[in-house]
Amino acid sequence: MFGLGLKGDPRAIDPLIERLDHPDPLVWYSAASAVASIAKHKLTSEQTRKEIFSRLCILLGHTDLSVRKSAAMALGYNRSEQAAQEVLRLLDDPHESVRSTAIFVMGFLRYKPALEAIKRLTRDRSKKVRKEARIVVAQLESEFP
């Protein structure tokens, strides 16, 4: 799938997005990465970029938690404030793995406006979420990029 992303061929978008619900995390993670690579490819039209972004944002509300997580990762690779704002809503997701992924993406993007919401998650009922939140709070409070 990595090669599909490097080629930047928009015809690969549909088959890649279909893989976002694959039960194997390596598959959906690779698909998310490839979709993001196509979106960032220098030959990808602005129209195609907007379409990819829109489709990924819709997938943030999918019933399958693996799809929500992979869409969040793909949006994170977008590295934009708009992507961070969309992923931010997953901090309140009912599933701990989705919340944890959203926290990770906020840290990856170094999205400081999420700091207060992430601090709140240092008291989450999930140990995994609390741990990720503490790591990202430290990153976002750090002076260093």
Side-chain angles (χ1 to χ4, degrees):
M1 282 187 250
F2 180 73
L4 291 173
L6 287 179
K7 284 186 175 187
D9 188 342
R11 294 176 297 180
I13 295 168
D14 288 333
L16 288 168
I17 286 181
E18 289 173 11
R19 300 300 179 273
L20 295 180
D21 66 351
H22 196 280
D24 183 345
L26 290 175
V27 173
W28 62 255
Y29 184 83
S30 297
S33 177
V35 167
S37 292
I38 292 170
K40 293 189 301 188
H41 195 276
K42 62 184 176 186
L43 298 178
T44 300
S45 71
E46 188 59 32
Q47 174 66 26
T48 300
R49 288 180 213 281
K50 287 179 181 179
E51 178 187 336
I52 291 170
F53 187 84
S54 174
R55 289 179 70 183
L56 291 172
C57 289
I58 290 168
L59 291 174
L60 291 176
H62 198 278
T63 57
D64 185 324
L65 66 100
S66 293
V67 174
R68 293 195 304 276
K69 288 172 23 176
S70 54
M73 291 299 292
L75 284 166
Y77 292 136
N78 186 279
R79 291 197 175 269
S80 72
E81 183 167 343
Q82 187 180 9
Q85 292 169 352
E86 292 292 333
V87 174
L88 187 64
R89 63 186 166 136
L90 292 182
L91 293 176
D92 293 320
D93 195 272
H95 295 278
E96 70 178 48
S97 62
V98 177
R99 290 193 306 278
S100 183
T101 299
I103 294 167
F104 172 82
V105 171
M106 295 295 103
F108 178 75
L109 295 172
R110 301 202 52 81
Y111 190 61
K112 291 193 181 214
L115 184 58
E116 291 307 312
I118 296 170
K119 280 182 178 179
R120 176 179 48 82
L121 292 172
T122 61
R123 297 181 307 276
D124 193 86
R125 65 187 174 275
S126 163
K127 183 177 180 178
K128 178 180 178 181
V129 171
R130 290 192 306 267
K131 181 180 178 184
E132 189 67 36
R134 284 193 298 271
I135 291 167
V136 172
V137 165
Q139 288 174 342
L140 294 178
E141 288 182 335
S142 170
E143 297 177 37
F144 304 104

